[in-house]
Amino acid sequence: MTREELKKLKKSMPRGYRDTLSEEFNVTTGYIDQILRGDKTRPDIIDRAIEIAAIYKRYLADQKAKIKKL
């Protein structure tokens, strides 16, 4: 992944994503930052981050739809 793609992924993540990923993969939050900056490579962590971002995107869309119905 390019640094720009990783930057876009990072912007798509919900609050607390670093803690979630670090606990799930038993690494530090600093290591998560290094991966999302492109300094380190861990495809498994990037794949999980993509899943989290997709779930978060669906959540925001659902929330927006519910507000629109009000």
Side-chain angles (χ1 to χ4, degrees):
M1 294 188 98
T2 66
R3 289 185 187 261
E4 291 302 315
E5 291 170 331
L6 291 172
K7 190 183 241 185
K8 182 177 180 179
L9 174 60
K10 190 174 177 179
K11 283 187 171 190
S12 301
M13 299 295 287
R15 286 184 182 211
Y17 74 91
R18 292 174 8 161
D19 294 327
T20 301
L21 289 171
S22 67
E23 288 175 17
E24 190 171 327
F25 290 94
N26 200 27
V27 297
T28 64
T29 55
Y31 190 66
I32 299 298
D33 287 337
Q34 291 173 0
I35 292 167
L36 292 179
R37 276 195 315 259
D39 297 339
K40 305 276 185 185
T41 303
R42 281 286 299 267
D44 56 336
I45 293 177
I46 291 173
D47 287 342
R48 181 63 178 132
I50 292 168
E51 289 174 14
I52 291 171
I55 291 167
Y56 186 59
K57 185 177 180 179
R58 284 192 301 270
Y59 168 75
L60 290 177
D62 289 346
Q63 215 177 27
K64 191 174 184 178
K66 287 176 185 177
I67 290 171
K68 197 171 187 174
K69 288 181 181 180
L70 295 176

